[in-house]
Amino acid sequence: MNFKKFLVGFSTFVIVTVFLYAIGHLFKVEWLMFHHIYEENANGFSVETGSLVPFIIGIFLSFIAEKIYVYKNQAQFR
């Protein structure tokens, strides 16, 4: 059961994160896109980073999916 619980949580995380990044790139939603660039030309400073919002949402929804899976699985054994 622990492996199935892990599989439900991890697959939910991966699917939600990929889906949100795809939505971000498809509709040009910057806070859902992975690639952001900050450049300061005066000093020649450049930072490239990606949005972590899809990761945070994915972790939150995987936690909820795991809890739902455990609850429904315990209900079957009663």
Side-chain angles (χ1 to χ4, degrees):
M1 177 161 159
N2 284 339
F3 180 72
K4 288 183 182 180
K5 185 171 75 167
F6 169 76
L7 191 62
V8 167
F10 185 71
S11 62
T12 303
F13 170 73
V14 170
I15 290 169
V16 167
T17 303
V18 168
F19 178 73
L20 288 176
Y21 276 131
I23 293 293
H25 282 283
L26 185 64
F27 294 111
K28 306 291 186 220
V29 181
E30 290 191 18
W31 56 277
L32 290 178
M33 293 177 70
F34 183 70
H35 190 67
H36 293 287
I37 300 174
Y38 173 74
E39 293 182 11
E40 186 177 325
N41 293 331
N43 296 332
F45 183 72
S46 175
V47 175
E48 295 186 30
T49 184
S51 175
L52 294 177
V53 173
F55 281 112
I56 294 168
I57 293 172
I59 289 171
F60 179 71
L61 290 180
S62 69
F63 176 75
I64 291 174
E66 183 179 327
K67 292 299 179 186
I68 290 172
Y69 175 76
V70 168
Y71 177 74
K72 289 194 181 239
N73 207 11
Q74 286 177 351
Q76 287 178 349
F77 293 115
R78 288 185 198 175

